[in-house]
Amino acid sequence: MELDLSQHVGQLTASLVDIESVSGAEKPLADAIEAALRGLPHLTLHRDGDALVARTGLGRPQRVILAGHIDTVPVAGNLPSHLERGLLYGCGSADMKSGVAVQLRLAASVPEPTRDVTYVFYDCEEVEAERNGMLRLSRQRPELLAGDFAVLMEPTGCAVEGGCQGTLRAEIRATGKRAHSARSWLGRNAIHAAGDILGVLRGYPARQPEVDGLTYREGLSAVGVRGGVAQNVIPDECVVTVNYRFAPDRSPAQAEAHVREVFDGWDVTVTDVAGGARPGLADPAAVAFVTAIGGVPRAKLGWTDVARFDALGVPAVNYGPGNPEAAHTVGEHVALGEITECEDRMRAWLTA
Amino acid sequence: MELDLSQHVGQLTASLVDIESVSGAEKPLADAIEAALRGLPHLTLHRDGDALVARTGLGRPQRVILAGHIDTVPVAGNLPSHLERGLLYGCGSADMKSGVAVQLRLAASVPEPTRDVTYVFYDCEEVEAERNGMLRLSRQRPELLAGDFAVLMEPTGCAVEGGCQGTLRAEIRATGKRAHSARSWLGRNAIHAAGDILGVLRGYPARQPEVDGLTYREGLSAVGVRGGVAQNVIPDECVVTVNYRFAPDRSPAQAEAHVREVFDGWDVTVTDVAGGARPGLADPAAVAFVTAIGGVPRAKLGWTDVARFDALGVPAVNYGPGNPEAAHTVGEHVALGEITECEDRMRAWLTA
């Protein structure tokens, strides 16, 4: 599979979407991106697993980072891509292969940006934090992520989105007592007991706090449930996996304490947590970028690796084509006009 | 693994328990039983998959069948077997390797019974009906199951148990709408919706009808639940597998109609159904057996292959060592005294 970086950014997005890259299976796409960038003389290329970092080395006084993940959620019958009335449909079209297409176009066609640029393409953003390619890079090659300002090209509908919410996953376990299902009254059915866990979730009042002038919106949802021993056994265990999305006024520790309080009395195991990031839009580098791009910044609801950059001390914002509300849906799509707009504004910023 | 059929029936039970034989993995045990029976000159042996049929051919006017399944539910940390104060503990000890031990003891040591005897050992009783080894035999070698009366040696605590309840499995499906879990309010969470299915199960009023003088007791239970797309996706499907145990006054069709009515408005898929059997204790062959064994017959609650014999026109009852309420539990066990009692009474009946 060969990528032609000279084609229109919309066509390039379609090419990227059509190379399936569900988390953990990004290799074919990483190979294609590596092959496309390898021949560009103004970039130094590094590969780490299925992550790639391409850097200019012009000795500019500032270095900016453009970063995007190349993995997608599982395909839901929505491949290959197709174009309809100016909208490109397909798994990953919005989240975030259109942003990756903009990165690749800029990498190929802006050999002499006014700031040095680091392009980061990474794997496993859509799964648990420990597998995240950016986390791996930050541990193994932190020097590759150094910079003065970072733009995460996650879908924001071409608006600058500040900060991000944190995400926590926990397993809530209901227990019971096994018995033969022909004599169900001798056991205690753990799946029936899990009805109370679902009751808590259904009645959960989600917060909508304001943080540094931006309004966030939380959520607590079941993302998985499993239970059952055999087809004729009253099960003694049922596990509901919940995902808590928390505003950046709560730390990971506070988020965990909250979930434990909500499920007081149940067996709670936190399996995965990634803190959010406060907006940080007062930083001079962020102000300069926002001024160049235009528009009114708003809160980022989805967790993104701005939190990772935040932890590395690099100011970062989210900005990219695609409606974040279309992400992870069967009908995921992106407007070609937004991809073009994003490429144009980023190009103007990098060459001004 | 070699089975010594001359040892005490309790020791033989322990040997059988220690040969793990979860449904679908009965081969080692079937091989051991085949090897033990192969050398007995008064028996003709047939093998079909992991089922075995051994028959005397003495030209007696009556033929009786002693049948038992050799598979167990999944092991729950309760192997190998151990003996404690006259109780033998271990997966399958009650359901029903003690009954199988009695069959094997009789097969080896009663070369000239007063009735011809067919010993049936079969696989996959603990799983969905379509895999049942007795069903397979009844389709492929019905002549091997011909007879005047059958005893299923399922655990009954050495009481004669009449008939059996039917069993039906169905998948009840809750649907929703996928969305990114960071914006949960844009989706409809199918796992949350399944809370209503669990509510129906928790509030279900089970019947206890009297049929031909025996009292049955029904139950409707979740035996499995699954749901979830990815760790950050609001799931659009959640499936609860339910098991309905129904008294023999309801046909499979009536049982299905009942489950569909209970879950009216939900997507219901019946995956497996096996009808029950009315007590049938008025049959002369059953009367003769009950008289020989003694005691007061009662209702069989668990589904057994008496229903299969019932369908083949062979009167059949349940009778064997072991408390049926211990079956499928972590602490499954059988009293050595019951195994011995069962062997003695059956031997007396077959030699009278």
Side-chain angles (χ1 to χ4, degrees):
Chain A
M1 284 164 293
E2 216 165 285
L3 290 174
D4 174 7
L5 303 190
S6 71
Q7 64 187 327
H8 182 272
V9 71
Q11 289 169 316
L12 180 57
T13 302
S15 302
L16 294 171
V17 169
D18 291 339
I19 303 177
E20 194 174 312
S21 60
V22 176
S23 309
E26 298 94 337
K27 186 171 184 303
L29 180 54
D31 289 348
I33 292 174
E34 180 178 1
L37 296 178
R38 182 62 73 193
L40 299 173
H42 60 283
L43 294 175
T44 310
L45 191 60
H46 307 265
R47 180 155 179 168
D48 181 289
D50 287 332
L52 292 153
V53 180
R55 293 155 54 98
T56 63
L58 301 163
R60 306 284 195 236
Q62 271 205 321
R63 174 174 290 278
V64 297
I65 303 167
L66 308 191
H69 64 84
I70 63 171
D71 61 319
T72 71
V73 292
V75 180
N78 50 359
L79 283 186
S81 64
H82 72 279
L83 191 63
E84 203 178 310
R85 297 190 212 176
L87 301 179
L88 179 72
Y89 287 83
C91 182
S93 53
D95 188 10
M96 55 171 285
K97 292 184 172 178
S98 48
V100 171
V102 170
Q103 289 179 266
L104 288 169
R105 285 281 301 149
L106 296 171
S109 62
V110 185
E112 298 201 344
T114 52
R115 302 157 178 86
D116 267 313
V117 184
T118 300
Y119 299 94
V120 181
F121 306 89
Y122 63 103
D123 53 301
C124 285
E125 192 270 351
E126 299 288 7
V127 288
E128 61 271 26
E130 267 308 308
R131 294 171 62 192
N132 185 295
M134 180 88 85
L135 175 63
R136 192 178 67 243
L137 282 172
S138 73
R139 286 172 176 168
Q140 296 181 0
R141 307 291 305 270
E143 73 282 6
L144 292 179
L145 299 181
D148 301 290
F149 180 61
V151 180
L152 253 290
M153 302 206 63
E154 290 276 355
T156 65
C158 290
V160 176
E161 292 190 338
C164 75
Q165 297 203 126
T167 177
L168 176 149
R169 289 187 192 86
E171 294 186 342
I172 319 297
R173 197 172 311 268
T175 54
K177 187 182 157 207
R178 284 194 200 188
H180 195 300
S181 63
R183 287 169 292 278
S184 51
W185 52 92
L186 297 175
R188 282 197 324 279
N189 196 314
I191 295 176
H192 295 197
D196 286 335
I197 297 173
L198 302 185
V200 168
L201 291 170
R202 289 160 68 141
Y204 181 76
R207 294 195 312 147
Q208 297 192 38
E210 193 179 305
V211 184
D212 297 351
L214 301 183
T215 302
Y216 290 85
R217 182 167 178 180
E218 299 195 334
L220 179 65
S221 310
V223 292
V225 61
R226 62 176 195 273
V229 175
Q231 296 276 292
N232 53 2
V233 177
I234 300 300
D236 56 357
E237 182 177 276
C238 180
V239 177
V240 180
T241 303
V242 302
N243 185 202
Y244 175 40
R245 299 286 177 149
F246 55 99
D249 60 340
R250 280 188 171 163
S251 69
Q254 288 170 325
E256 175 169 344
H258 175 67
V259 168
R260 291 190 182 280
E261 188 188 336
V262 167
F263 292 105
D264 188 30
W266 297 93
D267 175 5
V268 175
T269 307
V270 172
T271 56
D272 184 43
V273 59
R278 296 181 76 101
L281 291 176
D283 189 278
V287 170
F289 176 76
V290 169
T291 304
I293 299 294
V296 179
R298 62 188 183 207
K300 183 68 181 177
L301 298 180
W303 187 91
T304 75
D305 280 304
V306 296
R308 199 88 61 202
F309 283 112
D310 188 75
L312 289 170
V314 181
V317 298
N318 308 277
Y319 169 69
N323 182 342
E325 302 190 351
H328 299 208
T329 67
V330 173
E332 181 173 357
H333 62 272
V334 61
L336 292 189
E338 289 191 20
I339 318 179
T340 312
E341 175 187 328
C342 177
E343 183 186 354
D344 291 347
R345 296 198 179 180
M346 294 292 284
R347 184 185 304 279
W349 175 54
L350 291 180
T351 56
Chain B
M1 284 162 294
E2 215 165 285
L3 290 174
D4 173 7
L5 303 190
S6 73
Q7 64 188 326
H8 183 273
V9 70
Q11 290 169 316
L12 179 57
T13 302
S15 302
L16 294 171
V17 169
D18 290 338
I19 303 178
E20 193 175 315
S21 60
V22 176
S23 309
E26 299 93 338
K27 187 172 185 301
L29 181 54
D31 289 349
I33 292 174
E34 180 179 0
L37 296 177
R38 181 63 73 192
L40 299 173
H42 60 283
L43 294 175
T44 311
L45 191 60
H46 307 263
R47 180 154 178 169
D48 181 288
D50 287 331
L52 291 153
V53 181
R55 294 155 53 97
T56 64
L58 301 162
R60 305 287 195 232
Q62 271 204 325
R63 173 173 292 278
V64 298
I65 304 166
L66 308 192
H69 65 84
I70 62 172
D71 62 319
T72 71
V73 293
V75 180
N78 49 1
L79 282 187
S81 65
H82 72 278
L83 191 64
E84 200 178 312
R85 298 189 212 176
L87 301 179
L88 179 72
Y89 287 82
C91 182
S93 54
D95 188 11
M96 57 169 280
K97 292 185 173 177
S98 49
V100 170
V102 171
Q103 288 180 268
L104 287 170
R105 285 281 303 149
L106 297 171
S109 62
V110 186
E112 297 201 345
T114 53
R115 302 156 178 87
D116 268 313
V117 184
T118 301
Y119 299 94
V120 181
F121 306 89
Y122 62 102
D123 53 302
C124 285
E125 194 268 352
E126 298 288 8
V127 287
E128 59 272 26
E130 268 307 308
R131 295 170 62 190
N132 185 295
M134 180 88 86
L135 175 64
R136 191 178 68 244
L137 283 171
S138 73
R139 285 172 176 166
Q140 296 180 358
R141 306 293 305 271
E143 73 282 6
L144 293 180
L145 300 181
D148 301 290
F149 179 62
V151 181
L152 254 290
M153 302 205 63
E154 290 276 354
T156 66
C158 290
V160 177
E161 292 191 337
C164 76
Q165 297 202 127
T167 177
L168 176 148
R169 288 186 193 88
E171 294 186 341
I172 319 298
R173 197 172 310 268
T175 54
K177 187 181 158 210
R178 283 194 200 187
H180 195 301
S181 63
R183 285 169 293 277
S184 51
W185 52 92
L186 298 175
R188 282 199 321 281
N189 196 314
I191 295 175
H192 295 196
D196 286 336
I197 297 173
L198 301 184
V200 167
L201 291 169
R202 289 161 69 141
Y204 180 77
R207 295 194 313 146
Q208 297 194 39
E210 192 178 306
V211 183
D212 298 352
L214 300 184
T215 301
Y216 291 84
R217 182 168 178 180
E218 299 195 334
L220 179 64
S221 310
V223 292
V225 61
R226 62 175 195 275
V229 175
Q231 297 274 293
N232 53 1
V233 178
I234 300 302
D236 56 357
E237 183 177 276
C238 181
V239 177
V240 181
T241 303
V242 302
N243 184 202
Y244 176 41
R245 298 286 178 150
F246 55 97
D249 61 340
R250 281 188 169 161
S251 68
Q254 288 170 324
E256 175 169 344
H258 175 67
V259 169
R260 289 190 182 282
E261 189 188 335
V262 167
F263 292 104
D264 188 30
W266 296 93
D267 175 5
V268 175
T269 306
V270 173
T271 56
D272 183 44
V273 59
R278 296 181 75 100
L281 291 176
D283 188 279
V287 170
F289 175 78
V290 169
T291 305
I293 299 295
V296 180
R298 62 186 182 206
K300 182 69 181 176
L301 298 179
W303 188 92
T304 75
D305 280 305
V306 297
R308 198 89 62 202
F309 283 113
D310 188 76
L312 289 169
V314 181
V317 298
N318 308 278
Y319 169 70
N323 182 341
E325 300 191 353
H328 299 209
T329 66
V330 173
E332 182 173 357
H333 62 271
V334 61
L336 292 187
E338 288 192 20
I339 319 179
T340 313
E341 175 187 328
C342 177
E343 181 186 355
D344 292 347
R345 295 196 179 180
M346 292 292 284
R347 183 185 306 277
W349 175 54
L350 290 180
T351 54

